[in-house]
C-alpha cells in the first residue's frame, strides 16, 4: 500500500492529552480554542478527539485523548483510530504519545481498508514520521499486515488453494525467491495427510514451497496452515461455526506476511516457507471419522474428527521441514476454538520447549504490541493422543485442553529441528479496535519478525 508517511513544514499538529494533563494543556491554548473545547465538552477521555479551528477557519490542531500513564490498561495502538477520524491532510505529533513508534505503526495500520468488492476510500491522511522513528521499518510491517488482511478477507470463492498459491508465487517473484508447488494426486504418496484433507474438494490441494536467502546462513523454516475454507468435513460445522471459515488460511496469510518482512529486510537467514493449501469439503470421497492414514513421517493417524483437519495438513508439512534439521522451525495456524475459549481472540497462545526462545518471543510480542501468551507442552497429556488402532488420533475424546493437545500432536512430527515454535492464532478481529479493523488480522508475524531481526540482522 502507499506509505502513510510524508514530510511537510505545515503539517497539522496532533496534541495527545490525558484526563490528568488536560487542564495544563487547556491553559496553554489560545482563549478562543480553549472556549471552543469547553463548548464542545471535550474531556480528554481515551479515544476522544477534537478539531480546533484557527481564526481563518483552517485546522489549528487536533486534540486526542489517551489513557493516563498510571492507568491499569493502556491501548498503545489507540492512535490507530486517527485515520478514520481526521479530515484529509498531513499531520504530525505535537507531543509524545505513550510510545511514538507504536503510535506511528498504529496510524499506518489504521489506514487499511478492504476494497476488493466495493468502494472503500482509503483515508486521505498522512503523518510526518516522529523523530527517531524508522519509517521504512514501519512501512515494512504495515505492508505485511495489509497482505495478511487482504488474503484473509478475500472470500473462499476467490481464495482457494490455487489462488493462495498464486499469491505466494507473486511474493516469491517479487523478492527473487524460488517457488515450487505439489498439486492434487501428486501429494498422495509423500504427503498423504494433506491429500486426505483436500481430496473431497473440486479444487485440488497443494503444498506450496518457497526458498530464499544464502544457503550458508542459518536455516529458518515457516509453516502456515492454508485451509482456504473449512466446512468441518463429514463432522460438519453448524452454520454459525462455518460463517467466517474463509479465515482458516490465516496461518498461511501470516506466514506470507512474515516472509515478506524477512525478505524485504534482507535478514541473514536461509528462509523456507511451506504452506499446505486445501479446502476441507464434503463429498462422497471425503475422509471419514475413524479412517487411518500413514503420514509422511510414518506415524499412522486415526481420524477422531474431520474438523481437526488443520493439524493434519501441518503434520506432513512439519515432517518435511524437520527433515532438513532447521535452526528454527515455526508454524502458525488458526487451529483450535479451545485457544479462544482460554485466551480470547486477541491473545494467541504459543508453545515451545526452548526456554530462551520462549523468553524472546514474549519480550518481542510485548515490544511490538503483538500479544502472545505461552502455554505448556504438558507431557502427561501426551498419552491422550493414543489410539487403539493407530499410532495416534488427531482428536481425542473428552474435549479438555484442546489447544495443548493440538500442540502435542504437532510435536510428534518435529524431532530434528534445533528449536520449534508453534502459535495457535485466531487471525480475525471480531469487532473493530484502533488500528485493528473488523476482519482478517495479522497476528504473531510482527513479534516473530522482530525476534528474527534481532537474531539474524
Amino acid at each position: 500500500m502507499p506509505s502513510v508517511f510524508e514530510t511537510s513544514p505545515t503539517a497539522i499538529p496532533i496534541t495527545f492529552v490525558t484526563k490528568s494533563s488536560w487542564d495544563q494543556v487547556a491553559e496553554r491554548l489560545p482563549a478562543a480554542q480553549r472556549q471552543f473545547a469547553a463548548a464542545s465538552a471535550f474531556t480528554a477521555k481515551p479515544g476522544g478527539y477534537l478539531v480546533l479551528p484557527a481564526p481563518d477557519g483552517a485546522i489549528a490542531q487536533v486534540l486526542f485523548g489517551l489513557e493516563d500513564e498510571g492507568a491499569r490498561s493502556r491501548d498503545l495502538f489507540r492512535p490507530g483510530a486517527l485515520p478514520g477520524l481526521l479530515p484529509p491532510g498531513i499531520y504530525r505529533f505535537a507531543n509524545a504519545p505513550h510510545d511514538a513508534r507504536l503510535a506511528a505503526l498504529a496510524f499506518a495500520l489504521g489506514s487499511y481498508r478492504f476494497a476488493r468488492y466495493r468502494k472503500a476510500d482509503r483515508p486521505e491522511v498522512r503523518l510526518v514520521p516522529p523523530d527517531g522513528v524508522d519509517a521504512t521499518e514501519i512501512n515494512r510491517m504495515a505492508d505485511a499486515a495489509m497482505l495478511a488482511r487482504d488474503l484473509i478477507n478475500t472470500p473462499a470463492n476467490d481464495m482457494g488453494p490455487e489462488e493462495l498459491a498464486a499469491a505466494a508465487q507473486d511474493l516469491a517473484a517479487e523478492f527473487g525467491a524460488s517457488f515450487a508447488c505439489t498439486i492434487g494426486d501428486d501429494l498422495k504418496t509423500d504427503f498423504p495427510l494433506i491429500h486426505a484433507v483436500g481430496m473431497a474438494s473440486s479444487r485440488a490441494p497443494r503444498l506450496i514451497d518457497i526458498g530464499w536467502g544464502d544457503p550458508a546462513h542459518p536455516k529458518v523454516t515457516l509453516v502456515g496452515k492454508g485451509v482456504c475454507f473449512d466446512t468441518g468435513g463429514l463432522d460438519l460445522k453448524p452454520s454459525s461455526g462455518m460463517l467466517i471459515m474463509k479465515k482458516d488460511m490465516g496461518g498461511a496469510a501470516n506466514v506470507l506476511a512474515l516472509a515478506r518482512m524477512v525478505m524485504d529486510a534482507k535478514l541473514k537467514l536461509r528462509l523456507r516457507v511451506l504452506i499446505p493449501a486445501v479446502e476441507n469439503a464434503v463429498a462422497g470421497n471425503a475422509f471419514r471419522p475413524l479412517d487411518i492414514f500413514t503420514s509422511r513421517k510414518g506415524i499412522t493417524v486415526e481420524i477422531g474428527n474431520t474438523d481437526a483437519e488443520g493439524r493434519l495438513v501441518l503434520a506432513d508439512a512439519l515432517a518435511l521441514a524437520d527433515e532438513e534439521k532447521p535452526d528454527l522451525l515455526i508454524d502458525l495456524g488458526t487451529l483450535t476454538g479451545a485457544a479462544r475459549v482460554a485466551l480470547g481472540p486477541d491473545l494467541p497462545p504459543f508453545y515451545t520447549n526452548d526456554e530462551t526462545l520462549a523468553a524472546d518471543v514474549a519480550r518481542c510480542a510485548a515490544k511490538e504490541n503483538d500479544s502472545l501468551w505461552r502455554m505448556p507442552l504438558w507431557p502427561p497429556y501426551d498419552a491422550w493422543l493414543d489410539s487403539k488402532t493407530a499410532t495416534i488420533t488427531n482428536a481425542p475424546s473428552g474435549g479438555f485442553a484442546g489447544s495443548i493437545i493440538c500442540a502435542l500432536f504437532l510435536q510428534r512430527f518435529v524431532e530434528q529441528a534445533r528449536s520449534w515454535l508453534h502459535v495457535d492464532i485466531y487471525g480475525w478481529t471480531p469487532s473493530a479496535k484502533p488500528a485493528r479493523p473488523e476482519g482478517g488480522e495479522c497476528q504473531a508475524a510482527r513479534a516473530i519478525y522482530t525476534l528474527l531481526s534481532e537474531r539474524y540482522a
Side-chain angles (χ1 to χ4, degrees):
M1 76 170 193
S3 173
V4 300
F5 298 120
E6 190 172 328
T7 58
S8 171
T10 59
I12 302 166
I14 299 171
T15 300
F16 295 103
V17 294
T18 66
K19 286 183 179 288
S20 61
S21 70
W22 169 231
D23 287 343
Q24 291 181 337
V25 172
E27 286 179 7
R28 296 195 296 267
L29 293 175
Q33 292 183 19
R34 186 165 59 249
Q35 178 59 33
F36 185 86
S40 301
F42 180 75
T43 60
K45 69 177 181 179
Y49 81 105
L50 183 65
V51 176
L52 294 176
D56 62 358
I59 299 174
Q61 66 173 307
V62 175
L63 304 175
F64 187 75
L66 298 177
E67 297 88 350
D68 279 308
E69 282 289 344
R72 208 157 113 187
S73 176
R74 292 185 302 167
D75 185 353
L76 298 179
F77 270 2
R78 191 168 293 285
L82 285 165
L85 301 173
L86 297 174
I90 302 173
Y91 295 84
R92 63 178 176 85
F93 294 164
N95 60 341
H98 296 309
D99 186 310
R101 186 180 67 87
L102 289 179
L105 174 61
F107 196 98
L109 295 175
S111 299
Y112 173 79
R113 299 292 183 272
F114 183 59
R116 177 164 177 169
Y117 299 97
R118 69 174 189 181
K119 186 176 181 181
D121 292 334
R122 190 162 168 261
E124 296 179 16
V125 294
R126 300 291 183 270
L127 181 69
V128 176
D131 291 342
V133 170
D134 186 344
T136 299
E137 184 77 344
I138 296 297
N139 281 329
R140 180 176 295 129
M141 291 184 171
D143 286 346
M146 305 319 166
L147 171 64
R149 288 171 174 178
D150 278 348
L151 290 173
I152 297 170
N153 285 329
T154 302
N157 60 311
D158 286 329
M159 187 52 64
E162 182 177 1
E163 291 81 7
L164 182 56
Q169 187 170 16
D170 288 346
L171 181 66
E174 182 179 351
F175 292 99
S178 66
F179 176 85
C181 196
T182 308
I183 304 173
D185 286 342
D186 290 343
L187 295 162
K188 193 169 186 178
T189 300
D190 291 333
F191 306 100
L193 296 180
I194 299 173
H195 181 267
V197 173
M199 64 186 177
S201 174
S202 60
R203 302 191 288 183
R206 286 161 166 76
L207 178 62
I208 299 160
D209 191 344
I210 294 173
W212 174 89
D214 186 339
H217 288 157
K219 189 169 191 66
V220 175
T221 301
L222 311 177
V223 180
K225 174 187 170 185
V227 178
C228 295
F229 194 82
D230 181 20
T231 65
L234 293 178
D235 288 308
L236 194 68
K237 292 179 182 289
S239 58
S240 59
M242 213 183 298
L243 188 61
I244 58 171
M245 280 299 101
K246 69 176 184 178
K247 80 167 185 68
D248 214 21
M249 39 64 71
N254 278 280
V255 158
L256 290 175
L258 176 53
R260 164 176 272 284
M261 288 186 277
V262 166
M263 294 188 290
D264 189 57
K266 298 181 176 61
L267 297 188
K268 294 178 182 177
L269 56 84
R270 175 63 171 168
L271 180 69
R272 190 179 191 186
V273 178
L274 296 171
I275 295 173
V278 302
E279 180 176 34
N280 188 18
V282 177
N285 64 332
F287 74 123
R288 296 164 289 262
L290 301 189
D291 279 355
I292 296 175
F293 297 92
T294 302
S295 68
R296 176 182 179 84
K297 193 172 179 63
I299 296 171
T300 55
V301 180
E302 181 183 35
I303 306 303
N305 192 304
T306 63
D307 197 19
E309 86 299 331
R311 66 197 69 179
L312 296 174
V313 299
L314 284 177
D316 271 351
L318 284 170
L320 172 63
D322 191 56
E323 290 163 11
E324 291 189 324
K325 303 178 183 179
D327 294 88
L328 180 57
L329 175 55
I330 301 170
D331 76 82
L332 275 69
T334 53
L335 285 156
T336 69
R340 261 39 73 189
V341 172
L343 298 175
D346 301 339
L347 186 59
F350 74 91
Y351 299 82
T352 182
N353 282 325
D354 183 331
E355 296 300 322
T356 299
L357 178 62
D360 286 345
V361 168
R363 177 177 50 78
C364 291
K367 178 181 177 181
E368 296 302 332
N369 200 32
D370 192 9
S371 302
L372 296 168
W373 192 265
R374 189 183 186 187
M375 288 180 66
L377 288 158
W378 188 244
Y381 292 168
D382 196 63
W384 294 3
L385 290 168
D386 290 348
S387 164
K388 294 179 181 179
T389 53
T391 311
I392 54 175
T393 175
N394 76 323
S397 60
F400 290 135
S403 183
I404 295 174
I405 292 301
C406 178
L408 290 170
F409 177 91
L410 295 176
Q411 188 180 38
R412 295 287 188 101
F413 298 85
V414 179
E415 291 183 332
Q416 302 183 78
R418 290 182 60 187
S419 188
W420 171 57
L421 172 68
H422 162 62
V423 191
D424 189 345
I425 67 171
Y426 191 50
W428 190 263
T429 300
S431 57
K433 303 177 180 66
R436 293 153 290 193
E438 181 180 342
E441 189 52 277
C442 187
Q443 286 186 317
R446 286 187 292 104
I448 297 171
Y449 165 69
T450 297
L451 181 147
L452 297 178
S453 296
E454 292 179 357
R455 293 189 173 190
Y456 307 111

